[in-house]
Amino acid sequence: MDIKTTLFTLSDAVACGTVYDARDIASHILSKYTDCKKTDTLTVIGTLKGANSSRKIMLDAHIDQIAMIVTDVDQNGFITVSKCGGIDLRTLPARRVIIHGKQRVQGVFCSIPPHLGGGDTKFENIADFKIDTMLGDRARDIVSVGDYVTFYTEAKPLIGSRVAGGAFDDRAGVVCLLELAERLSKTELPFDVIFVLSDGEELGLRGSRTATFDIDPDEAIAIDVSFSDAPDVSGDDCGKMSEGAMIGVSPALDGGISRKLIDTAKKNNIPYQCEVMGSKTGTNCDVISVNKGGVKTGLVSIPLRNMHTAAEVIDLDDIVSVCDLIEKYILSGGADI
Amino acid sequence: MTELLRQLASLDGTAGDEKAVRDFIISKIDGHCRFEVDPLGNILAFKAGKNRSVKKLLVDAHTDEVGLIITNVTADGFLKFKTVGGIETAVMLSRAVRINGSINGVIGTKPVHLTHGDEGKSLPKPESLYIDIGAKSREEALSFVSLGDRAVICGEYAENGNFICSKALDDRIGCAILIKLLVEDSDYDFSASFTVQEEIGVRGAKTAAYTVDPQAAIMLEATTAADIAGVPQEKTVCSLGDGVAVSFMDGGTVYDRAFYNAALQSGIKCQPKRAVTGGNNSAAVHLSRGGVRSLALSVPCRYIHSPSCVCDRDDIDSAYKLARFMINGICSGDIE
């Protein structure tokens, strides 16, 4: 699997609410390497059998992305939306979007011209930011209340192994999951490995909650993205791009797994950095770990800049580090349970 | 004409760096008119028509667009920049940019999760913005870009029915119309200029008008349309689909009233520009030498100076038709 091509394909496709393109592409790839099924709640679960089939580790990456949902369509072709996930309103004026109506159409967030006080815009309520469907009075034929809207994005290479695009949160994690499925499908496994493409993370960690209930794993690792260094982000708040897998350390995570991940990275010379959090992680780990009677859970993240925008930046080498780390971790026997 | 417009809008031509646009235009008009390139980079053309004109007429469109100029590189390899022409800060946040027509970058934005208090409700200072091209150090960045390089904010050309959305419609629309006027046969002689540096103070038009020395001038432009949700009718300036906008006065020019009236009475779909705001090359042209009677024909454009300008192709068609009508009327002497 070519990591860059797969990431670009998956991140330019969309998965949110009733739009399944990216999930279907990822699901197709996962089914090449694993025994793959979709659940009633649309989560995709792939299974690789290991020597000890009474034990299983769950690997999770969320397939959904931040989006918006249409709440009004006016007669002149302008629509109002509500947020599905954290969106920075300041980035919206003149932003290109895809409206997932009866047809897919491009739209543009209105930008108030300077002569009408565009410079005084208040960035408080997304309902104040109308989208021009560029459909005029035909809009109501194509766009309905409840349709999803996503940022128009186009993944592009930057210098070296860094790349920019939208929805790398968490398609970068999904790519790790798929790469791991390919690698682990070619080797003897100590126990079962269950791959989960979970839905609804951006709307409150929903898909992972129900998937974990169904799978009932002995341990789990979520693969997500986390904040990376940038001129306007304090070094205390983030990891560093290109410096490897971010291993989560948090009261909400299993300390043994965090330590074993760190030891595995050290032993195998895999680039890594610790991401220490004082409370919950804000990732699927928060619900996976409290499934049923409790699940030992770890978190490995890819450093990412400009999170939740159409200009997210990651380093493909960090994806490789995450894959190397989790592969070695599993092959060396996983957590001490 | 929309295919021509797509090609023109997809070229990058920040003010002062219009070569790609100039070369493309020359490739289209070569063989259809005489032309020369002046010291600033303006294309000055002369179209020989079937008949001689009673007045020397200049038809103008500008080749440049708003963009960015790289001013410095940080130790960590991030590019600092200034805007070239008026670009609103919100339109720059977390956008893809293209430097020198080939190098990809993005303008970074602090993640919304990490903003505190009112920080997320107000725009950052433009001087705090930076471009990330993926460089890990100043040295690495400088092996790909140099100080003074230009960048544009990416805005791919797209069509939804009659609507066109792209970066740089201001003023590649004018360029597309003017190319068409030069390539087609003309009843009368006229001069044409594709001018540079409009967005930083109508500088190319100043020298073009001096050299051409016209008696009358027509600017082919795009202008702000605020016919969007929530804006009262009296503040909309002009509306998409109601035809090309004709100016009586704006921030830079008092237009010739006889030309203005003739345009409105032409029978071709058009609308007065209903505000005294903005400006265009006529600010320089109408005050050139002893003065030049001037007319501006502007295609209504929503979200102008953004990577997502929106225009109606019928308005582009009406701008072309009205330009042809006014050329013939002024050159024949029918419009006095």
Side-chain angles (χ1 to χ4, degrees), chain B residues 113-176:
Chain B
H113 322 62
L114 300 179
T115 56
H116 299 292
D118 287 340
E119 188 184 5
K121 295 178 182 172
S122 56
L123 292 169
K125 289 194 166 60
E127 57 269 26
S128 73
L129 302 181
Y130 57 89
I131 296 171
D132 182 356
I133 58 170
K136 295 174 184 172
S137 67
R138 178 180 164 85
E139 290 66 35
E140 187 179 21
L142 285 172
S143 67
F144 288 88
V145 299
S146 302
L147 303 190
D149 285 353
R150 310 298 153 83
V152 300
I153 302 174
C154 298
E156 304 303 317
Y157 183 95
E159 295 182 7
N160 263 10
N162 251 18
F163 289 87
I164 291 169
C165 182
S166 177
K167 77 170 185 71
L169 293 184
D170 172 13
D171 182 31
R172 302 295 154 69
I173 280 181
C175 294

Side-chain angles (χ1 to χ4, degrees), chain A:
Chain A
M1 190 183 88
D2 182 68
I3 286 175
K4 181 173 162 187
T5 307
T6 309
L7 176 66
F8 280 24
T9 304
L10 282 172
S11 64
D12 287 344
V14 172
C16 66
T18 53
V19 186
Y20 306 124
D21 299 9
R23 192 205 60 193
D24 290 347
I25 295 167
S27 166
H28 176 72
I29 297 170
L30 190 60
S31 68
K32 288 199 276 189
Y33 308 119
T34 69
D35 179 16
C36 199
K37 63 164 187 173
K38 279 192 194 89
T39 68
D40 292 345
T41 51
L42 305 174
T43 296
V44 177
I45 297 173
T47 302
L48 284 177
K49 287 296 194 187
N52 174 4
S53 62
S54 65
R55 177 175 169 182
K56 53 195 166 191
I57 181 171
M58 171 176 138
L59 301 180
D60 168 277
H62 70 88
I63 188 67
D64 65 312
Q65 68 197 91
I66 54 155
M68 294 146 279
I69 191 162
V70 179
T71 56
D72 185 64
V73 185
D74 83 6
Q75 59 194 12
N76 298 315
F78 294 91
I79 62 175
T80 310
V81 295
S82 188
K83 291 193 272 191
C84 308
I87 285 174
D88 188 341
L89 303 184
R90 301 173 302 167
T91 69
L92 297 183
R95 161 87 48 202
R96 219 78 76 85
V97 296
I98 304 289
I99 304 163
H100 303 269
K102 289 194 182 71
Q103 304 158 30
R104 282 190 193 179
V105 291
Q106 274 200 34
V108 180
F109 266 103
C110 291
S111 171
I112 305 294
H115 76 277
L116 294 177
D120 304 325
T121 304
K122 297 270 183 290
F123 299 94
E124 292 182 352
N125 188 349
I126 197 168
D128 297 336
F129 294 81
K130 307 299 180 189
I131 294 173
D132 185 346
T133 62
M134 300 193 282
L135 293 166
D137 56 13
R138 296 190 300 130
R140 284 177 170 169
D141 298 336
I142 295 170
V143 185
S144 309
V145 168
D147 287 346
Y148 284 85
V149 176
T150 50
F151 293 149
Y152 172 89
T153 66
E154 193 181 349
K156 291 177 179 173
L158 300 177
I159 289 175
S161 51
R162 295 182 179 185
V163 293
F168 286 178
D169 175 5
D170 185 30
R171 300 296 147 67
V174 169
V175 168
C176 291
L177 202 79
L178 298 175
E179 170 72 10
L180 281 163
E182 181 180 6
R183 291 188 191 183
L184 296 176
S185 68
K186 294 170 179 165
T187 182
E188 295 282 311
L189 295 172
F191 40 69
D192 290 357
V193 182
I194 317 290
F195 301 85
V196 177
L197 298 171
S198 53
D199 204 353
E201 193 267 359
E202 302 291 2
L203 287 173
L205 321 178
R206 288 158 187 271
S208 198
R209 183 190 305 259
T210 52
T212 314
F213 183 91
D214 283 346
I215 295 163
D216 196 15
D218 299 290
E219 68 168 310
I221 294 177
I223 310 169
D224 209 328
V225 295
S226 191
F227 306 110
S228 181
D229 59 316
D232 47 10
V233 177
S234 157
D236 298 335
D237 287 338
C238 65
K240 266 185 93 67
M241 181 147 301
S242 311
E243 299 211 347
M246 297 171 74
I247 298 173
V249 179
S250 149
L253 297 171
D254 181 70
I257 292 183
S258 298
R259 275 192 298 278
K260 177 139 191 204
L261 284 166
I262 292 166
D263 289 345
T264 305
K266 279 182 182 163
K267 194 183 293 175
N268 295 282
N269 288 321
I270 297 166
Y272 80 97
Q273 47 196 319
C274 286
E275 181 185 22
V276 182
M277 293 153 278
S279 181
K280 286 185 287 188
T281 64
T283 70
N284 278 338
C285 294
D286 298 346
V287 297
I288 295 170
S289 51
V290 294
N291 178 66
K292 293 191 181 174
V295 179
K296 288 180 183 291
T297 304
L299 171 64
V300 181
S301 301
I302 301 131
L304 173 140
R305 289 181 180 146
N306 313 318
M307 193 182 291
H308 283 199
T309 74
E312 293 176 335
V313 174
I314 62 157
D315 190 323
L316 296 172
D317 287 348
D318 289 328
I319 287 188
V320 174
S321 298
V322 168
C323 294
D324 290 347
L325 174 61
I326 296 175
E327 181 185 21
K328 296 285 187 214
Y329 173 84
I330 288 173
L331 295 180
S332 66
D336 299 323
I337 294 176

Side-chain angles (χ1 to χ4, degrees), chain B:
Chain B
M1 194 155 44
T2 50
E3 174 53 23
L4 182 61
L5 178 57
R6 186 190 66 74
Q7 292 176 333
L8 280 162
S10 302
L11 296 168
D12 297 346
T14 302
D17 186 29
E18 303 91 347
K19 184 174 187 305
V21 183
R22 178 167 57 247
D23 289 349
F24 177 84
I25 291 170
I26 287 173
S27 77
K28 292 295 174 187
I29 64 173
D30 196 8
H32 300 283
C33 58
R34 296 201 314 263
F35 65 88
E36 62 182 23
V37 177
D38 83 0
L40 268 61
N42 297 316
I43 303 170
L44 305 178
F46 177 78
K47 177 73 180 179
K50 296 185 189 106
N51 304 287
R52 307 291 76 75
S53 173
V54 300
K55 280 195 186 67
K56 188 165 192 185
L57 172 67
L58 174 66
V59 185
D60 173 83
H62 69 87
T63 51
D64 62 313
E65 66 190 284
V66 295
L68 314 172
I69 185 165
I70 310 305
T71 55
N72 209 346
V73 181
T74 70
D76 295 333
F78 296 100
L79 314 186
K80 300 297 290 183
F81 63 90
K82 284 194 160 39
T83 57
V84 177
I87 303 180
E88 303 236 3
T89 300
V91 164
M92 297 192 277
L93 300 180
S94 68
R95 309 289 160 139
V97 301
R98 186 168 50 234
I99 304 162
N100 296 340
S102 61
I103 295 169
N104 296 320
V106 298
I107 298 177
T109 310
K110 186 172 187 172
V112 65
H113 322 62
L114 300 179
T115 56
H116 299 292
D118 287 340
E119 188 184 5
K121 295 178 182 172
S122 56
L123 292 169
K125 289 194 166 60
E127 57 269 26
S128 73
L129 302 181
Y130 57 89
I131 296 171
D132 182 356
I133 58 170
K136 295 174 184 172
S137 67
R138 178 180 164 85
E139 290 66 35
E140 187 179 21
L142 285 172
S143 67
F144 288 88
V145 299
S146 302
L147 303 190
D149 285 353
R150 310 298 153 83
V152 300
I153 302 174
C154 298
E156 304 303 317
Y157 183 95
E159 295 182 7
N160 263 10
N162 251 18
F163 289 87
I164 291 169
C165 182
S166 177
K167 77 170 185 71
L169 293 184
D170 172 13
D171 182 31
R172 302 295 154 69
I173 280 181
C175 294
I177 295 169
L178 189 48
I179 290 170
K180 184 170 161 69
L181 290 167
L182 287 170
V183 167
E184 291 176 353
D185 288 341
S186 175
D187 287 341
Y188 292 92
D189 295 346
F190 68 91
S191 296
S193 55
F194 295 91
T195 44
V196 298
Q197 299 178 36
E198 193 267 357
E199 300 292 0
I200 56 166
V202 297
R203 294 165 48 79
K206 187 170 192 303
T207 62
Y210 174 86
T211 303
V212 176
D213 190 16
Q215 296 161 291
I218 300 173
M219 313 303 142
L220 300 176
E221 259 286 10
T223 195
T224 297
D227 59 332
I228 58 179
V231 174
Q233 205 279 338
E234 71 273 15
K235 291 183 175 173
T236 53
V237 186
C238 55
S239 303
L240 267 61
D242 286 353
V244 61
V246 188
S247 305
F248 49 82
M249 186 191 294
D250 62 26
T253 307
V254 179
Y255 292 91
D256 184 86
R257 195 51 71 103
F259 289 176
Y260 170 79
N261 287 335
L264 289 185
Q265 290 157 15
S266 63
I268 295 162
K269 195 172 188 181
C270 64
Q271 57 188 318
K273 177 176 170 177
R274 301 180 299 268
V276 183
T277 57
N280 56 50
N281 272 340
S282 49
V285 174
H286 88 297
L287 296 178
S288 181
R289 296 193 185 227
V292 180
R293 296 174 62 188
S294 295
L295 172 73
L297 301 178
S298 302
V299 172
C301 178
R302 294 175 185 159
Y303 329 119
I304 200 164
H305 286 202
S306 88
S308 306
C309 306
V310 174
C311 292
D312 185 315
R313 69 166 81 204
D314 287 348
D315 296 334
I316 301 173
D317 193 48
S318 88
Y320 159 74
K321 286 180 177 147
L322 189 50
R324 179 62 83 193
F325 173 88
M326 292 303 298
I327 291 170
N328 288 343
I330 292 169
C331 293
S332 66
D334 288 348
I335 298 170
E336 301 242 334

